[in-house]
Amino acid sequence: MSDILTHLDAGVMTITFNRLDKKNSITSSMYAAMADAVAEAGADPAVRVVVFQGHESIFSAGNDIGDFLNQPPSTQESPVFRFLRGIATFEKPVLAAVAGPAVGIGTTMLFHCDLVYAGDNAAFSMPFVNLGLCPEAASSLLAPRMFGYHRAAEALLMGEPFFAEAAQEVGLVNRVVPPTEVNGYTQAQARKLAAKPLTSLIATKRLMKGGQQQEVLQKMDEEGQSFGRMLREPAAKEAFGAFMEKRKPDFSKI
Ligand code: COA
């Protein structure tokens, strides 16, 4: 079965991470499938709302580290950047159902969702510094804006997980529910939205987010250039090598 599943029902396109054995970590081909699904959802009048979901035990472990080492994104047309631009500019409502860990892009993609529901086991983290990298998905702009600078600095510089209740407090999450209910609850909310006039949903989202879109795209571009460069540098090589070898990284000389 495919690592990314898409399903359309009652105006709701659901995009499911389906790579549980690797903790729903995302490979380049999965990003390509997600970017294509988002583009299709934007163009298809039968799609009124998009939902991202994982499993009740894990949303996503972020980028697949081995895949990233083997085929780092090299241009703005790389699947990961296509996907990020796709969700950052998506006109219709996007919801996410998050249970368990949401690492790296598993958290940063949520800044581009309109409603986020979390299981009480959700653990959000943006460990870019710990991987010798820098933020992506315009999280260096949107996290300080949403959380306040100091709380964003804690999340982005320390890279430690923060949990469902804290995520709700900083505004990243709308509501916390039991993990077994998060996908169902999010579907129910998506269906309520899908029954509303799409023209009004689109206009309302554009009015709320339109003003910052250029700034977001510019920041993504700037982050993408640093991220791409840093992926090839010693700190990331050490961090990724350590992950593959299941040992602690040693940054003492970097
Ligand atoms: N890329 C590639 N493989 C990954 C992965 C990732 N980001 N995250 C997990 N996996 C793989 C593990 O290598 C392991 O594979 P194996 O069974 O072949 O050894 C399998 O998924 C299970 O992972 P494991 O670490 O044993 O699960 P866990 O439940 O103990 O921990 C996480 C789950 C998500 C907390 C942990 O896997 C993790 O921290 N992953 C890395 C997250 C990360 O740094 N992402 C990059 C962000 S840019």
Side-chain angles (χ1 to χ4, degrees), residues 55-74:
H55 184 259
E56 64 191 47
S57 66
I58 177 120
F59 183 62
S60 170
N63 292 307
D64 180 298
I65 289 178
D67 189 65
F68 235 44
L69 280 175
N70 293 335
Q71 38 179 342
S74 50

Side-chain angles (χ1 to χ4, degrees), residues 4-6 12-17 33-35 37-38 49-54 59 83 86-87 90 93-98 109-110 112-113 115 117 182-183 186-187:
I4 293 292
L5 305 176
T6 57
V12 178
M13 179 187 272
T14 304
I15 302 176
T16 306
F17 297 118
M34 288 155 72
V38 167
V49 177
V50 168
V51 171
F52 286 96
Q53 66 179 24
F59 183 62
F83 166 66
I87 51 169
F90 198 71
V94 181
L95 282 68
V98 181
M109 64 178 279
L110 305 176
H112 304 285
C113 295
L115 298 171
Y117 298 106
V182 69
N183 287 356
T186 306
Q187 282 294 328

Side-chain angles (χ1 to χ4, degrees), residues 21-23 25 58 61 63-65 101 103-104 128 131 243 246:
D21 59 326
K22 294 291 179 188
K23 301 287 166 184
S25 56
I58 177 120
N63 292 307
D64 180 298
I65 289 178
V103 186
F128 304 112
L131 294 167
F243 179 81
K246 299 191 190 285

Side-chain angles (χ1 to χ4, degrees), residues 191-208:
R191 279 171 188 242
K192 277 193 221 163
L193 281 175
K196 296 183 191 292
L198 184 57
T199 45
S200 287
L201 292 171
I202 290 176
T204 304
K205 180 166 173 172
R206 187 186 301 131
L207 286 163
M208 287 196 290

